Amino acid sequence: MPGGFVLVVGPSGAGKDTLIRLARAALADEPRYVFPARLVTRPPSAHEENEELCEAAFAQGEATGGFALSWRAHGLGYALSAETLALARAGRVVVANVSRRAVAEARARLPAVTVVAVTAPPELLSRRLAARGRPEDGDLAARLAREAPMQADLTILNDGAPEAAAATLVAHLRGR
């Protein structure tokens, strides 16, 4: 079976990480699916399981092509390890939360990319971001106002029970 990447994108507070976590649990017995931790230039938190990377290592990875994909957002560096590209080429489906601004580059560089946009009404996004209470989230109004147009293969409105939205994501993954 062909592998590739499923990029989960959307505004802050849409519930991307929640849906990915639920999909990972639903597909735990199916080794075809890989849910890598992102490399981020900040420590992991209760809201995001990432692998911390210092700025120097991030800059070196970008300069040497050491990442499958990298981008900057909100003053931080984010990347997917080079290993994810090898996994996708070996037939695995790599599922990752990436910036909407990284989609065009991902479609140009990575194999078999599909994009799942997760969204929710603005008032719900605002409540979710405020509830996180992460100082590193910065200006919440600016985060919510950020536009990043791109073409999605599937859009999930995550405004109800997250299990229902996650089931839509899992169905998309299994359809790959």
Side-chain angles (χ1 to χ4, degrees), residues 6 10 25 27 55 66 69 71 74 103 107-108 132-133 138 150 166 169:
V6 175
L27 298 168
E55 281 290 338
L69 183 68
W71 65 96
H74 315 298
V103 167
R107 286 192 190 274
R132 284 197 313 209
M150 51 82 222
L169 175 58

Side-chain angles (χ1 to χ4, degrees), residues 74-100:
H74 315 298
L76 299 169
Y78 294 82
L80 298 178
S81 73
E83 178 189 17
T84 61
L85 184 55
L87 290 167
R89 287 181 174 151
R92 309 284 292 277
V93 176
V94 178
V95 184
N97 174 353
V98 307
S99 170
R100 293 169 285 180

Side-chain angles (χ1 to χ4, degrees), residues 42 45 47-48 129-138 140 143:
R42 77 162 167 232
S45 73
H47 302 284
E48 179 180 29
L129 283 177
R132 284 197 313 209
R134 287 193 321 203
E136 64 267 25
D137 281 345
L140 299 185
R143 283 181 82 108

Side-chain angles (χ1 to χ4, degrees), residues 7-120:
L7 307 179
V8 181
V9 302
S12 295
K16 300 176 298 289
D17 287 323
T18 297
L19 298 188
I20 290 171
R21 180 179 44 78
L22 292 168
R24 180 176 49 228
L27 298 168
D29 294 332
E30 299 181 42
R32 180 170 179 244
Y33 304 98
V34 180
F35 297 84
R38 295 186 299 184
L39 307 172
V40 184
T41 57
R42 77 162 167 232
S45 73
H47 302 284
E48 179 180 29
E49 295 177 29
N50 61 277
E51 293 181 21
E52 185 175 5
L53 193 64
C54 71
E55 281 290 338
F58 182 82
Q60 180 181 11
E62 282 198 311
T64 62
F67 303 131
L69 183 68
S70 63
W71 65 96
R72 287 210 166 261
H74 315 298
L76 299 169
Y78 294 82
L80 298 178
S81 73
E83 178 189 17
T84 61
L85 184 55
L87 290 167
R89 287 181 174 151
R92 309 284 292 277
V93 176
V94 178
V95 184
N97 174 353
V98 307
S99 170
R100 293 169 285 180
R101 293 180 180 169
V103 167
E105 181 182 351
R107 286 192 190 274
R109 292 183 49 198
L110 302 177
V113 171
T114 60
V115 176
V116 176
V118 179
T119 190

Side-chain angles (χ1 to χ4, degrees), residues 121-135:
E123 62 278 1
L124 184 54
L125 295 174
S126 182
R127 282 198 313 269
R128 287 176 179 167
L129 283 177
R132 284 197 313 209
R134 287 193 321 203

